[in-house]
Amino acid sequence: MSLRKDKLTEQEFLPKRKNQRFCSPQNRIDYHNMIARNIRTEKAFVTEPLNKNYKILLSLMKDYET
């Protein structure tokens, strides 16, 4: 097998499997966490106001339960 570049660090490594993309399991975890963090950041302008309104509605509905 030939050398590959780690998708997170761009470090070259010799893969032990033919489908290996990262030189270590920690790099794989960090890479996918980084992707998820970026997606959450992009969605934050929508989700934060929605969560705030949801909490307000829950508190209002709680008052009407009997």
Side-chain angles (χ1 to χ4, degrees):
M1 280 191 234
S2 61
L3 289 176
R4 288 193 182 171
K5 281 191 175 183
D6 187 289
K7 290 179 83 173
L8 179 68
T9 62
E10 298 294 323
Q11 174 186 359
E12 288 190 345
F13 69 99
L14 186 61
K16 296 177 184 169
R17 299 180 319 272
K18 64 181 179 180
N19 64 346
Q20 187 174 353
R21 307 270 186 227
F22 302 94
C23 63
S24 71
Q26 189 60 49
N27 283 3
R28 177 178 43 86
I29 292 167
D30 292 344
Y31 176 80
H32 290 291
N33 284 343
M34 179 184 67
I35 299 271
R37 187 179 321 112
N38 290 341
I39 291 171
R40 277 192 308 272
T41 302
E42 289 175 3
K43 290 181 180 179
F45 78 96
V46 172
T47 56
E48 287 176 6
L50 285 175
N51 287 336
K52 183 177 179 183
N53 288 338
Y54 177 73
K55 289 177 184 178
I56 292 169
L57 286 172
L58 278 180
S59 68
L60 291 173
M61 295 301 289
K62 185 178 176 183
D63 293 340
Y64 288 107
E65 287 181 11
T66 54

